[in-house]
Amino acid sequence: MYVKRRVGELGRVFDLRVLLVLVDADDNVKSLQELNRFCFLNDFTLILAWSREEAARYIETLKAYEKKSPESIQEKVEKDFGNE
């Protein structure tokens, strides 16, 4: 499988490894199950996109947050509990 070969070339250099898949086949269930299992066993995050535009937005978003801290995307929790 192409994905297995490419992952083998990548190795485990990165902390976060993402596999972005453009789903463009009608009979995709078996392939997606196989990719999901592969990603689970190899510590990858699987992201499915259903159009080229959606895939592009995922890439833009991942690139935008590439150097930011985890706190930049965490929910802001109000510390004042008030009188309940």
Side-chain angles (χ1 to χ4, degrees):
M1 178 188 341
Y2 171 78
V3 173
K4 289 180 184 176
R5 182 176 58 80
R6 293 290 296 178
V7 167
E9 294 171 3
L10 178 65
R12 295 197 174 262
V13 177
F14 301 99
D15 293 331
L16 175 63
R17 300 183 308 163
V18 176
L19 179 62
L20 174 60
V21 176
L22 174 61
V23 182
D24 61 353
D26 291 331
D27 56 338
N28 55 36
V29 174
K30 188 173 189 298
S31 299
L32 292 179
Q33 286 175 335
E34 190 175 323
L35 283 171
N36 187 38
R37 183 176 189 279
F38 176 79
C39 286
F40 177 77
L41 294 174
N42 290 283
D43 296 324
F44 267 77
T45 299
L46 177 63
I47 299 176
L48 302 178
W50 302 95
S51 69
R52 292 176 190 270
E53 293 79 14
E54 184 181 8
R57 282 193 308 271
Y58 277 121
I59 292 169
E60 289 172 343
T61 302
L62 290 169
K63 195 69 180 157
Y65 284 98
E66 179 179 33
K67 304 249 189 264
K68 295 191 179 190
S69 69
E71 290 79 24
S72 66
I73 62 172
Q74 288 178 337
E75 179 183 8
K76 307 290 187 255
V77 179
E78 185 69 37
K79 293 186 179 180
D80 180 26
F81 296 111
N83 297 328
E84 295 183 293

